[in-house]
Amino acid sequence: MPDGDSAVADPQTKGYQVSILDRVDEARFRTGSIDGIDPADFLNAKPVGGGYNKVRIEVRGQEYRIYWNDQLVNTYTGDRELAGHIGLENNGGGIRFKNIRIAPLK
């Protein structure tokens, strides 16, 4: 961890985490939620025909839009830092990532 990099040292208070593994027991941790802060609008947006889920996270300033398999599942207005790191987490579940892209919005 680089010295003085507060976003790495404390990511839960400097940035946001989007939940990708359903926790049906608590809405604020369901898929597409801003983890522990803002629940997604509905549960279990499954991919058509099975396979990988398609996730798109758009951030414009403090406006966050989370799409799950092309369905808008969450919008959120934040107030945390605008610069920092992007992390991917596997919290012990059977999760795999592929075709990860980061692109500027038009």
Side-chain angles (χ1 to χ4, degrees):
M1 174 181 337
D3 290 336
D5 194 336
S6 64
V8 172
D10 194 9
Q12 290 292 352
T13 61
K14 301 295 182 183
Y16 296 104
Q17 176 177 327
V18 175
S19 297
I20 62 171
L21 183 61
D22 266 341
R23 290 261 319 267
V24 295
D25 56 327
E26 191 158 353
R28 63 193 181 110
F29 295 108
R30 72 176 60 143
T31 295
S33 297
I34 303 294
D35 197 60
I37 298 172
D38 187 56
D41 294 334
F42 64 93
L43 192 59
N44 285 330
K46 299 292 184 191
V48 176
Y52 280 87
N53 288 293
K54 179 181 176 184
V55 180
R56 186 172 82 235
I57 302 169
E58 292 181 4
V59 181
R60 295 176 189 267
Q62 292 288 355
E63 299 299 317
Y64 296 78
R65 296 174 68 87
I66 315 300
Y67 295 85
W68 203 263
N69 300 314
D70 296 320
Q71 287 185 276
L72 180 63
V73 297
N74 200 357
T75 59
Y76 181 71
T77 302
D79 62 0
R80 295 184 180 175
E81 295 184 20
L82 293 176
H85 300 272
I86 295 173
L88 303 175
E89 177 183 17
N90 178 346
N91 219 4
I95 298 173
R96 295 183 180 153
F97 301 97
K98 72 176 189 175
N99 299 328
I100 298 167
R101 297 180 187 102
I102 301 169
L105 297 173
K106 297 175 182 176

